[in-house]
Amino acid sequence: MHIEIDEIAKTFGTTAALHPVSLSLPSGALVALLGPSGSGKTTLLRILGGLEFPTSGRVLFDGQDATGLSVQERRAGFVFQSYALFRHMTVFDNIAYGLNARPRASRPNKVEVARRVTRLLDLIQLPDIGARYPSQLSGGQRQRVALARALAIEPRMLLLDEPFGALDAKVRKELRQGLRDIHDETGLTTVFVTHDQDEAMELADLVVVMSGSQSGGRIEQIGKPQDIRSKPASAFVREFIAA
Amino acid sequence: MQAATFNPTQTSLVPRLLIGLAVALTLLIVVAPLVYIFARAFGEGWRVYAENLLNPATLHAVWLTTITALIVVPVNIAFGISAAWVVARFRFPGRSLLVTAIEIPFSISPIIAGICYLLLYGRQGLLGPWLADNDLQVMFALPGIVLVTMFVTAPFVAREVLPLMQAQGSDQEQAAVTLGASGWQVFRRVTLPNIKWALLYGAVLCTARAVGEFGGVSVVSGNIRGQTNTLPLHVELLFNDLNATGAFAAASVLTLLALVALVAKTVLEARKAR
């Protein structure tokens, strides 16, 4: 799905989080929102997912105005930085949650739910953990379960907030490839937030470099990783990717 | 290794003394009076005990206390969850004031609550004439008893649930809505299971307090035997009648309820800690 961000601004009370930003994300792209903390990247991601609403500006999905759509109507697969797995449910029930929450008319039957959950567990390469509880999983496993849960609702896009933030270096590297593979297999437009330039450069097709200021976060440069490396658009970008 | 530096005679003597003291005090102050209640209640045999319990006024008091608890506890659960949810999930002016307000009943003597309600709803009170005109009896009747008990027990559920909700944050709830869940589905399948044990724990404490409330209720009930006497009030009445066995029989019912609540509380505490 093509995502168009048109002059989106956001203020929380008196604090400016996003200076008006505009951005066009081609369908099927794997996009990194890269920037230091306070650059508004997470706010932008949450606006896409419908968890925050912009103070001004529009969001368009495939050319249709989606600004006022509720979070449920967006059908965005969202992976939280904390993963936010349901502690009291098994991995199976976590992944099945979105399917079981559907209205009766469109809810798949039990057999179909089980089939889909099994397929997702295969996709994240953890076929045997359905009966476990989140507390029994490693950090990397939790992240993949959160990904499977987000994919279960057959989302129109995939949004990930610092998906590798809480993991150690070795697991990070493995899961980067895992996300790339899942993205390629599903073909979903995928946006992830990171403050790690290596991660953004290595993984993304398109990198959006953001910076923070008193007047809110703004976009410094949008481009392919190699273009950002070879032709940084501003002193900020040059310094940030060199760090 | 700090333990190695302890003097062995000291480590065995001091803890033993303290443990002995704690056990002795608990027996003397807590257990002995409880045992005495049952000893006195059964002192003249089973038959007298049963007769005293089956006395219509005593049965009515048990019934009134049960009804009061059955109304108060569910209302309190609903109030506690809503209050905790509002405070944990939203930032608004006066938020900390609301937290303080919820705790007021803990710091105020229940008898003051009773008097406040009397001044508000009583015949000479602020709303008294209006209530009288509309033929509504609040004071010296069930509504008054329920209102005061609600006031006294208001903080119990909220206080248990709030810290848990604050610690857990709203990530899981947000995740549920991104998965398409409606508000009710989020509450039913995510919020409620996460606070389940704390909620039950609060409800047990609330029940125990509602059943045992004396001071506030004594002001608004009017102590009409067989009509507005709750169980604790009835115990006092029997005692003033010099009917010690009757008083102790009624007290034994209250004590039993309290012990059941205590066991439930201990079990829930263990589950909650998990």
Side-chain angles (χ1 to χ4, degrees), chain A residues 164-184:
Chain A
F164 313 104
L167 302 169
D168 59 56
K170 183 174 168 289
V171 183
R172 272 174 167 231
K173 288 247 158 73
E174 284 171 27
L175 289 189
R176 267 187 216 174
Q177 191 53 47
L179 179 60
R180 179 84 235 179
D181 292 345
I182 285 170
H183 169 263
D184 293 349

Side-chain angles (χ1 to χ4, degrees), chain A residues 81 83 161-167 172 195 199:
Chain A
Q81 186 171 7
Y83 314 136
D161 188 7
E162 295 274 2
F164 313 104
L167 302 169
R172 272 174 167 231
H195 60 267
E199 202 164 275

Side-chain angles (χ1 to χ4, degrees), chain A residues 46 72 82 86-88 101, chain B residues 168 171-172 174 181 185 189:
Chain A
R46 290 171 62 86
Q72 289 95 341
S82 66
F86 306 128
R87 297 189 309 145
H88 59 284
Chain B
Q168 285 176 346
D171 277 6
Q172 290 183 44
Q174 290 186 23
Q185 282 173 324
R189 303 226 26 235

Side-chain angles (χ1 to χ4, degrees), chain A residues 13-77:
Chain A
T14 54
T15 328
L18 274 177
H19 198 264
V21 295
S22 294
L23 190 58
S24 176
L25 308 176
S27 187
L30 178 51
V31 182
L33 299 180
L34 172 67
S37 54
S39 59
K41 54 195 192 305
T42 295
T43 303
L44 187 56
L45 191 80
R46 290 171 62 86
I47 287 173
L48 284 179
L51 289 168
E52 305 281 359
F53 287 90
T55 313
S56 63
R58 294 186 309 158
V59 180
L60 302 153
F61 293 160
D62 280 338
Q64 300 263 318
D65 192 336
T67 319
L69 283 190
S70 73
V71 51
Q72 289 95 341
E73 291 165 327
R74 302 257 173 146
R75 281 202 16 243

Side-chain angles (χ1 to χ4, degrees), chain B residues 59-129:
Chain B
L59 282 182
H60 185 272
V62 172
W63 179 83
L64 188 61
T65 291
T66 311
I67 289 287
T68 305
L70 282 179
I71 300 172
V72 166
V73 175
V75 171
N76 213 310
I77 287 174
F79 166 76
I81 294 175
S82 334
W85 186 71
V86 163
V87 170
R89 296 291 178 257
F90 299 99
R91 296 283 169 276
F92 52 90
R95 184 171 155 274
S96 52
L97 209 66
L98 179 63
V99 178
T100 315
I102 291 170
E103 302 236 332
I104 284 177
F106 269 167
S107 46
I108 262 185
S109 166
I111 201 149
I112 294 173
I115 288 169
C116 288
Y117 276 84
L118 193 64
L119 291 177
L120 196 58
Y121 296 103
R123 192 153 298 170
Q124 259 81 56
L126 214 53
L127 301 175

